[in-house]
Amino acid sequence: MGPEGLKPGEPVPLTVLLLEDNETDEFVIREVLEQSGHVFRVDVARDGHDAVEYLRRVEDDEEMPCPALILLDLNVPKISGSEVLRQVRRSSRCSRTPVIVVSSSDSESDRAAAQSLGVQAYFRKPANLKAYLDLIDVIKQVLGGIR
Amino acid sequence: MKEYRIEAMPVAAPSGFSGESEVQRLRTLYQLLAALSRAKALDDVYEAAITSLLAATMADRAAILTFDDDGVIRFKAWRTLSAEYRQAVTGHTPWPLGTRDAQPLVVPDVLADKSLAAYREFFVRENIRAVAFIPLTLEAGVFGKFMLYYDQPHSCTLEELEIGQAIAAHVALATVQKRAELASTASEQRLQAILDNSATVIFIKDREGRYQLVNRCFEELFHVSKTQVVGRKDHDLFPPEMAERFRENDRKVLAARETLTFEEEAPHDDGIHNYISIKFPLEGTDGELAGVCGISTDITDRKRLETANLHFAAIVESSDDAIVAKDLNGIITSWNRGAERLFGYTAAEAVGKPVSMLAPLDSRNEMPEILARIRSGHRVEHYETRRCRKDGVIIDVSLTVSPIRNASGRIIGASKIARDITERKRAEQERGVLLAREQEARQTAELLNRVSPRLAAQLDVQKLVEVVTEIATTLAGAEFGSFLHKNEQSESWVPAEVSAGFPMPRNCDLFARTFEGEGVVRHADLMQDPQYGRLVEGSRPVRSYLAVPVVSRSGEVLGGLFFGHPDAGKFTEHHEAILIGIASQTAIALDNARLFEQAQWVQTELKRSNEELRRANQDLETFAYSASHDLQEPLRTIAISAQLLERSGGQHLQGEDARFLASILGSATRMTALIQDLLDYVKATKYAEGHPPSVDATVVLTGALQNLKGAIEEAGAKVTSAPLPIICIHPGRLAQVFQNLISNAIKYRGTGVPHVHISAEERDGWSVFSVVDNGIGIDAKFADQIFGLFKRLHSRQEYPGSGIGLAICQRIIEQYGGRIWLDKSVPGGGSTFCFSIPSEAR
């Protein structure tokens, strides 16, 4: 991964860290992000380990921007999304980064755990394509006044 | 008195009496008559007489004398006669009292008459020369005389004598009349005095019942005066019934013409009084009855006294107590029925005998003592003593003796009330014995009470046995004490430690008797006993022996308490009683200890199985969740991918390809739903933890209907229910059942307003609920199938749903031991589903 070149006059893209192992979901989420009204650059981590590595790189390298938004799936291999979230909150640079949990689970315990760790929204992955568009509203709400 | 004859009768000489004198004489007579008619008293009569005599005759003075009751003639009236003269001639009369045909006598010259010689002196002094005697006569003869006195010798003319006799005749009559009047008045007055001072009521009524006479008593009692009463009738004075009664009695007397006695009533100020009335007829002058006279005596007090006496006598007679009266000499004067019963003597046998006959021989001297107290006016109360009945039986009695006083307060005897207290005394004695026994029992119970908490607290059987043995041995006063379990007596049933305390050989049938349920075994001295004597030889023999079995509530002999003492006769019945008590406490304690052990074990087991259940549930839930999630994830991706595919190449996909894609989508969706349902099924049907509480089915139904509100409103359905019972089920589960059944009923509705009715009835401890709908109904041959998991009778297009609703219901109901079934249903005619749940009482 690396920063992409920017053409002059174009808005600075917001970096989004997406932790998602399901390619289909990744595809749909990318579409949602595009339609959200913001310009995003999406960094995808396929498992928790990758995500933690990514965060460490961000911690160490001042040049790398902190993601403007983190979209977490809880059920990912290696390190769980919850653990990643913990890391996010413990980091020095990105502790305040808005996090939206995008998960197929709707168990109470998952929601509660996410709540206690401080997420801005919890979105349940639908089985319906159209319902996925609701995520746009959530993103808009979370990012609020940025740009 | 001498009889005097007139010596010479002067021939009537015209001595100045001419026709004029005739007129004069007549006038005098008229005057006399007038005066006599006016005369009130005898004196007036005499005065009138003298005046006439003097006017009619030539007498200078005159006098009237009459005989008194003592036969002496005395001066009653006179003119100008001295007292001495009168005194001198008093008693002198020519005629004795009662002489008939007496004729006037003249003495022309008293000084010449020899027969009056005795009075010559007085004549001289009185200046009397001639006298004439004129007799006063009535039918009965002479009763008095007139005296005419002349200062000069005089021979009376015939006229004089005639007029004198005429006057005498009139005066005689008048005198008699007046005397009669006086007598009558006097006697009337006497009579009236008697009447008025009488304390009885006296009255006279005429034939018609009008009062003619009443005495003062009558006046005072009835507050009337004579004048108000006389002439009136009873009906004017008294209340109608009483008046009628009086008149009736009067009529009886008039009819019977003789004296009759009646009891009558009359009103006094203080109420009705009773009278004894003696009424007798009064004869009138014509021989007919003139009226009735009555003499009435007030007997009210007497009657009251009589009634009181009767009452009193009745009380005495009917009293259960013996009431005996005796005079001051101790002779029995009255004897009631109670006395007959108590002492056995009849009244005839007892009255007149000395009361001392009732006293048993040894106590005869108390009677005089009692009498002495009575004589001094004291009462003797509740004096307990013994008396002898007629049949010789001695009884205990309680006496109360009081003095009897007569009306003037003098003590004339004593009244004795005697009560048989033999029974009471016996009861007291018995009570004493019972009290003593109760005391003993209470002491034993207290002892046991102190002991039993220690025993009850001991749930460890071993310790229990130790405690018991220790306590019991002390209480028994034994040297050796031991508790032996029955099941210990197989081969070596007297453990060594124990046998050290109880030095008896092991193979002893003595002990066996207790284990075999013979009850308490006690020997005062084993050494004396032929069977066991040889067993107790040795250094520490047991002579006193006591064994008490310990028997559980079920009757099973658990063991026995055995006690011994080197001395003989140490164990008494009292010890037995105490130890029997301890034995029963021990049995209870042992039972309790056993139960406790069992309970402990059950508790542990229960806890363990509960734990397992919880863990199983947890595992299931976790499994279900993760399984469902893991299963659903790929399905979701299939769905999304298919939709993406549809979106991107939808219009290009032709015919079958499109159908294939749709089929992928459809299956993915259905699979997702199925997995969700499966998850619901697992959630709904895992074992609810804990004992099902008692819940009000009505409340649960209300909650379920609330949850179904949207569906009910959308269908326009009417859901009704009858009052529902309280049942044993977890409320959430019941809600699930209601929701599934009702939503089915609404979903499978027919045309028209869907109607669902829920009711329940009690059947043998189960509440059987019915859910009735008017929906499309079910063919009876599918009645069992419909409860199968995922089983449906319609396609998804016709009615949505996965077919697990009834399966869930069945799992839930069966978990509570109940049953669910399709009770009746007709295609097109609605369905009735029933399920049973234990009612609260179970």
Side-chain angles (χ1 to χ4, degrees), chain B residues 61-84:
Chain B
R61 284 169 280 185
I64 303 177
L65 292 86
T66 59
F67 283 97
D68 286 333
D69 292 328
D70 58 2
V72 175
I73 200 167
R74 288 193 178 84
F75 281 91
K76 294 294 180 300
W78 61 90
R79 290 279 163 83
T80 338
L81 289 174
S82 72
E84 292 108 338

Side-chain angles (χ1 to χ4, degrees), chain B residues 165-235:
Chain B
Q165 275 174 304
I167 294 173
H170 289 298
V171 169
L173 273 166
T175 309
V176 161
Q177 243 174 28
K178 278 287 168 280
R179 276 197 194 153
E181 271 177 31
L182 273 174
S184 163
T185 314
S187 98
E188 257 187 48
Q189 280 174 345
R190 256 206 303 273
L191 208 59
Q192 193 65 39
I194 293 173
L195 288 178
D196 285 340
N197 286 301
S198 167
T200 53
V201 171
I202 303 175
F203 53 86
I204 296 177
K205 294 184 244 181
D206 66 15
R207 295 251 304 249
E208 281 71 47
R210 282 186 287 262
Y211 277 93
Q212 294 178 328
L213 176 141
V214 293
N215 69 345
R216 200 184 303 141
C217 188
F218 189 108
E219 286 179 315
E220 280 169 6
L221 274 177
F222 304 119
H223 305 298
V224 288
S225 70
K226 284 187 180 38
T227 45
Q228 287 172 324
V229 175
V230 170
R232 291 238 143 74
K233 295 191 176 185
D234 286 310
H235 289 279

Side-chain angles (χ1 to χ4, degrees), chain A residues 22 24-25 27-28 31 75 104-105 125-129 132, chain B residues 625 629 632-633 635-637 639-641 643-644 647 672 676:
Chain A
N22 186 321
T24 313
D25 283 322
F27 180 84
V28 177
E31 277 197 2
N75 297 334
S104 53
S105 159
K125 287 189 204 167
N128 186 322
L129 196 55
Y132 241 121
Chain B
Y625 271 113
H629 183 268
Q632 283 184 348
E633 249 312 281
L635 284 171
R636 199 180 53 81
T637 308
I640 299 279
S641 302
Q643 284 168 65
L644 286 167
R647 192 182 63 176
T672 307
Q676 189 55 48

Side-chain angles (χ1 to χ4, degrees), chain B residues 725-751:
Chain B
I726 297 180
I727 50 177
C728 287
I729 188 172
H730 292 90
R733 297 284 192 255
L734 181 63
Q736 182 83 55
V737 170
F738 277 143
Q739 270 169 230
N740 287 0
L741 290 175
I742 294 169
S743 74
N744 273 0
I746 293 171
K747 184 163 44 165
Y748 294 100
R749 60 183 177 271
T751 53

Side-chain angles (χ1 to χ4, degrees), chain B residues 138-410:
Chain B
L138 280 174
E139 237 184 71
V142 171
F143 69 92
K145 63 179 179 178
F146 283 156
M147 293 300 304
L148 296 172
Y149 303 101
Y150 300 90
D151 299 338
Q152 302 298 324
H154 179 78
S155 294
C156 294
T157 60
L158 213 55
E159 288 90 355
E160 271 187 290
L161 293 179
E162 276 174 1
I163 192 81
Q165 275 174 304
I167 294 173
H170 289 298
V171 169
L173 273 166
T175 309
V176 161
Q177 243 174 28
K178 278 287 168 280
R179 276 197 194 153
E181 271 177 31
L182 273 174
S184 163
T185 314
S187 98
E188 257 187 48
Q189 280 174 345
R190 256 206 303 273
L191 208 59
Q192 193 65 39
I194 293 173
L195 288 178
D196 285 340
N197 286 301
S198 167
T200 53
V201 171
I202 303 175
F203 53 86
I204 296 177
K205 294 184 244 181
D206 66 15
R207 295 251 304 249
E208 281 71 47
R210 282 186 287 262
Y211 277 93
Q212 294 178 328
L213 176 141
V214 293
N215 69 345
R216 200 184 303 141
C217 188
F218 189 108
E219 286 179 315
E220 280 169 6
L221 274 177
F222 304 119
H223 305 298
V224 288
S225 70
K226 284 187 180 38
T227 45
Q228 287 172 324
V229 175
V230 170
R232 291 238 143 74
K233 295 191 176 185
D234 286 310
H235 289 279
D236 302 323
L237 301 164
F238 297 106
E241 319 84 56
M242 277 178 200
E244 198 38 54
R245 190 74 194 286
F246 294 154
R247 281 306 297 151
E248 202 187 298
N249 293 343
D250 294 342
R251 276 182 232 121
K252 281 190 190 149
V253 167
L254 289 169
R257 285 179 166 262
E258 58 179 16
T259 307
L260 296 173
T261 309
F262 306 96
E263 258 197 50
E264 290 177 335
E265 287 176 352
H268 282 219
D269 290 337
D270 61 350
I272 310 271
H273 277 229
N274 301 90
Y275 283 87
I276 291 273
S277 296
I278 301 171
K279 289 186 171 175
F280 52 91
L282 291 171
E283 265 190 31
T285 45
D286 52 355
E288 289 299 306
L289 292 177
V292 174
C293 177
I295 303 173
S296 298
T297 313
D298 187 341
I299 55 162
T300 312
D301 284 340
R302 203 175 80 195
K303 264 195 120 43
R304 279 200 206 124
L305 200 62
E306 264 175 33
T307 316
N309 273 343
L310 280 170
H311 201 160
F312 183 66
I315 292 172
V316 167
E317 243 343 89
S318 64
S319 170
D320 281 340
D321 293 330
I323 302 178
V324 173
K326 58 193 180 200
D327 63 20
L328 287 172
N329 297 320
I331 304 295
I332 296 170
T333 54
S334 97
W335 186 264
N336 79 338
R337 250 207 314 259
E340 286 183 355
R341 271 200 300 265
L342 182 61
F343 295 111
Y345 298 98
T346 65
E349 288 169 337
V351 172
K353 300 274 188 342
V355 77
S356 55
M357 76 174 176
L358 301 172
L361 279 160
D362 53 359
S363 69
R364 275 198 206 276
N365 29 12
E366 78 190 11
M367 297 260 205
E369 195 184 290
I370 296 176
L371 272 176
R373 271 183 72 81
I374 295 298
R375 277 208 199 90
S376 61
H378 290 103
R379 208 162 166 241
V380 176
E381 287 200 34
H382 301 305
Y383 176 84
E384 286 188 16
T385 180
R386 321 190 80 195
R387 285 285 175 270
C388 186
R389 289 165 45 102
K390 183 178 175 185
D391 57 6
V393 171
I394 309 282
I395 49 173
D396 292 294
V397 294
S398 166
L399 298 182
T400 298
V401 192
S402 327
I404 299 176
R405 294 172 198 274
N406 69 359
S408 38
R410 202 160 56 86

